Amino acid sequence: AFSRAMRQGVDREGRHLYPAFPYDHFTKVTDADIKALYAFVMTRDPVRAETPPNDLSFPFNIRSLIGAWKLLYFERGVFRPDATQSAEWNRGAYLVQGLGHCGACHTPRNALGAEEKMNDQGGGEVEGWHGPALNAASVTPVPWTAEQLYQYLRTGLDDLHAIAAGPMEPVVRNLAAVPEPHVRAIATYVATLAGQPTVSRQQKAEDALLQARRDGAAYPRIDRADQQTAAGDRAFQNGAAVYAGACAECHDQGRHASSGGALHLALGTAMTIPTSANLIRITLEGIMPPDSEPGRWMPGFAGALTDEQVKDLVTYIRARFGREPPWPDVADELRKARKSKP
């Protein structure tokens, strides 16, 4: 029954499971690993609990329709190694595509909730956050190396990239307990997804690094025409004032892994992704270590900033640090973030 659920998405009574349980990834797991997982699960203390009733709206509450969904989108089959790649690369691919189910967050989905396989790891949405693209569409200011990815996956922190936040934070916390060779294999595989940086990509990375090295007081020049087109003078100036009062003291210093400084925002992916969702949620919620554990933290400003101040701050940060056109979704994402707060 356990194997059938993992491999086929069918429960003990023969009913289709909703793909919120990622059997479309677990189907790739080997027999040996499924048996190992089962053996571990059977050592857990049993609990008595009643499954809550299905509260999905019509027609998604009709479980039998999942059978049709599977015919369209579910591809069964164990992972097949690529003979042209190294053993470490294949191990990483197996873990990312199967047990890690990274595509569940980092791959876009169609109207019926199926991952767009032709755009694997091309950026997705989860729990109100954007899972950045890991493939050639990646917009991280500085391209990842395998070693940087390894450090990030084990610690949630790398000198040239943003700290793990949102749904990625518990992933990193769990990976901290995974044996090093497995995490290195994941990093090796993911590092190849984006391919070699293009000349344009390398230039953008150099520009971001240069901006991060500048004194915080030496603001980069932004043409007035660009402000008018991308941000608007009022929002830009108001956002600059909010940034100076709430953010600059930490973020303009930049950081190293051994220091207490925050990341210079020219290096942050939240400023360059195609949605303002992550930046808004980090601004409102902050970043806190779980369960009072030691670690990096950032205060949340949900109670300190008005909606207008948050929108202006996001407008300013996108223009100054993201060096990209303004997001069109700021008001909508702010409304959703405020609504989701407990």
Side-chain angles (χ1 to χ4, degrees), residues 151-180:
Q151 293 297 332
Y152 175 79
L153 292 172
R154 288 304 290 265
T155 68
L157 188 68
D158 172 73
D159 283 356
L160 301 182
H161 299 87
I163 192 171
M168 193 64 196
E169 186 278 326
V171 173
V172 167
R173 184 157 24 108
N174 290 333
L175 286 175
V178 173
E180 177 180 335

Side-chain angles (χ1 to χ4, degrees), residues 44 79 306 335:
R44 303 300 87 192
F79 173 80
T306 66
R335 177 188 56 77

